[in-house]
Amino acid sequence: MFTKMTRRIFLSTVAAALLTCSLGISVSAAEKIKLRMSTPATESDFRSQGLATVFADGVSEFAVYEPHYNDTLFKQGTELVAIARGNLEMSITSAQELAKLIPEWSIFTAGYLMRDPEHQRKVFEGPIGEEMYKLVEDKLGVKLLSVMYFGTRQLNLRGKKKINTPADLQGINLRMPGTDAWQFLGRALGANPTPMAFTEVYTGLQTGAIDGQDNPLPTDKDKKFYEVTDQIVLTGHLVDMNFLAFSKKVWDKLSSDQQATVKKAAMDASASITATIIDNEAKIVSFFKSEGLDVYEPNVAAFRERAQKMYLESDFSKDWPKGLLERINAVK
Ligand code: KDO
C-alpha cells in the first residue's frame, strides 16, 4: 500500500520523467539540421517528388529536408550564390547556372553533346565528374552530390507552321532561361531567344508574348504547357541534367558517417528520379497527341550539324578544359 507521501513522490517522479522525455524528444527534433532546398520547379515535378521521399527519408535521422517550390524562396538563377554565401543549404542546379560562375562548365551546356542519360551518368560518376565537381567545390564552396537526368529538351511551339530545319525557326521568339548559355542554345537552334523566368512561361505562351519554349516532355506536361501550344518538335537538342547542390559549410559540419548518408540519399534519389523520367518520357507522346498537339521529328541532323559547329566556333569553347570534349565523347 502506498502511503500519501510515497504516492506523491511516485507521481511527481513519473511527471518529471514524462516531462524530461517530452523535452528530450523536442530538443532532438530541434537539433536536427534544417536543409532548405529552393527550386523554380513545382511540387508535383518528378525531381521534387523523388527528393521529398527518397532523399528526405535517407537523411531523416539527423536532418529535416525543407523544400521550397515555384521560386518562392530564391529566384531562379540566384540559388548557387545563396548557397555559397551561406543563405541556403540546397538547390537543384544545372550546368547552365554553374557555367555562369565557372566558365569551364559551359562545355556541358552544348547542344547535342550528351548522347543519352546513361552517357550522362557515366561521365559524372567517373573521373570527369570528380574533376568538375572539385572545381565547383574549390571555387564556389558548393558540393555537387549527384547528377540526375532531367529529360531531353524538345521544342514546344504555338501555331501550325511545320519546323524541319533551323532555317524554319528564323524569327520565332523562343523563350529560353535567362543565362548566356541558354540564350546561345536558342540561337544555335536558329531561333530568336527571349529570356523569361520558368514560372512565367505559361502566361507568356498564353498571351503570345513568346512563340514557344523548350523543356523536357514531362515538364511540358507538369506545367500544362500543352494547353497553350499547338506542336512539339522532337529536336532532342539537349539531354538535360541537373545536380543536387549542397552547402559545403553545412557539409563540413557533418560527421563522416552523416556525410556518407547524405551522399547515399542524394545518389539514391537521383537514380530513382532518372528512372521515373526515362519511363515517363517513353510513354508521354501519346498524351500530347490526345490533347490535339502535333508531335513530330524534324531533320535532327540539320539541327545537330548547325549547333555543333556554332559551339565549336563560340567563345564558350575557349574556356573548355583542354581535351575534355574528346574525353566526354570517348565515355562509352
Ligand atoms: C527552365 O527554366 O526551362 C528549366 O527547365 C531550366 C532547368 O535548368 C531548370 O532550372 C528547370 O527549369 C527548373 O528546375 C524548373 O523545372
Side-chain angles (χ1 to χ4, degrees):
M1 281 274 283
F2 277 173
T3 63
K4 245 186 180 172
M5 192 59 189
T6 50
R7 189 162 47 230
R8 203 173 294 143
I9 292 168
F10 174 73
L11 288 177
S12 58
T13 312
V14 168
L18 284 174
L19 188 66
T20 316
C21 186
S22 73
L23 278 178
I25 289 166
S26 65
V27 167
S28 78
E31 272 172 0
K32 283 191 183 180
I33 302 154
K34 196 198 269 191
L35 299 175
R36 291 166 309 146
M37 195 285 291
S38 180
T39 178
T42 62
E43 186 171 356
S44 52
D45 178 286
F46 290 130
R47 294 161 301 168
S48 306
Q49 288 182 17
L51 291 171
T53 52
V54 183
F55 181 80
D57 290 351
V59 300
S60 62
E61 255 185 40
F62 56 90
V64 178
Y65 174 69
E66 188 187 284
H68 295 260
Y69 303 113
N70 302 307
D71 265 355
T72 45
L73 190 57
F74 286 92
K75 287 261 161 286
Q76 182 174 25
T78 63
E79 303 93 339
L80 281 174
V81 172
I83 297 177
R85 290 188 179 151
N87 296 330
L88 178 68
E89 291 76 47
M90 293 177 67
S91 76
I92 303 170
T93 197
S94 64
Q96 291 76 11
E97 296 298 343
L98 289 157
K100 250 187 347 189
L101 305 162
I102 304 175
E104 290 90 329
W105 265 79
S106 69
I107 193 164
F108 298 116
T109 70
Y112 299 104
L113 170 75
M114 290 289 169
R115 294 188 300 269
D116 51 43
E118 194 52 11
H119 183 206
Q120 197 170 76
R121 191 187 66 74
K122 285 184 180 157
V123 166
F124 284 99
E125 291 181 6
I128 296 175
E130 218 171 283
E131 288 160 35
M132 298 305 280
Y133 285 2
K134 185 165 184 317
L135 202 60
V136 177
E137 196 171 323
D138 294 348
K139 289 201 173 177
L140 207 60
V142 172
K143 273 197 87 72
L144 299 180
L145 297 175
S146 56
V147 63
M148 64 191 94
Y149 177 56
F150 173 40
T152 298
R153 293 179 89 94
Q154 318 286 1
L155 294 178
N156 173 213
L157 307 174
R158 287 162 49 103
K160 302 278 183 214
K161 182 191 166 189
K162 282 266 184 190
I163 304 296
N164 190 39
T165 67
D168 298 325
L169 285 179
Q170 203 183 1
I172 299 268
N173 289 324
L174 181 69
R175 176 271 171 181
M176 298 295 285
T179 74
D180 289 351
W182 282 118
Q183 296 294 299
F184 187 84
L185 179 57
R187 278 197 296 283
L189 294 172
N192 177 28
T194 309
M196 183 180 278
F198 180 71
T199 47
E200 289 162 20
V201 174
Y202 184 97
T203 313
L205 290 166
Q206 193 175 36
T207 59
I210 47 173
D211 301 319
Q213 62 92 29
D214 86 310
N215 254 296
L217 298 184
T219 305
D220 292 343
K221 182 166 186 239
D222 181 53
K223 289 294 287 188
K224 300 190 165 43
F225 293 150
Y226 57 87
E227 290 178 351
V228 284
T229 53
D230 303 292
Q231 53 170 314
I232 289 175
V233 191
L234 298 168
T235 44
H237 51 274
L238 191 74
V239 177
D240 207 359
M241 61 201 159
N242 287 139
F243 303 87
L244 198 53
F246 196 88
S247 156
K248 184 161 156 38
K249 287 192 182 85
V250 175
W251 178 266
D252 288 342
K253 285 187 202 136
L254 301 176
S255 69
S256 57
D257 275 359
Q258 289 174 330
Q259 289 177 347
T261 304
V262 169
K263 174 82 183 170
K264 182 175 182 316
M267 298 284 288
D268 289 351
S270 296
S272 149
I273 291 164
T274 296
T276 308
I277 291 182
I278 291 173
D279 181 53
N280 194 269
E281 267 184 325
K283 299 175 186 154
I284 206 170
V285 166
S286 56
F287 167 78
F288 293 114
K289 287 187 174 162
S290 73
E291 288 294 320
L293 270 74
D294 190 10
V295 185
Y296 61 93
E297 252 198 46
N299 180 346
V300 175
F303 280 97
R304 180 183 295 113
E305 203 179 309
R306 176 185 156 105
Q308 287 183 338
K309 185 167 180 297
M310 279 185 65
Y311 274 95
L312 289 176
E313 289 170 357
S314 72
D315 281 348
F316 290 117
S317 68
K318 296 186 185 132
D319 292 316
W320 297 354
K322 209 167 174 307
L324 187 55
L325 182 61
E326 293 73 16
R327 285 174 66 204
I328 294 169
N329 287 333
V331 174
K332 294 283 177 280

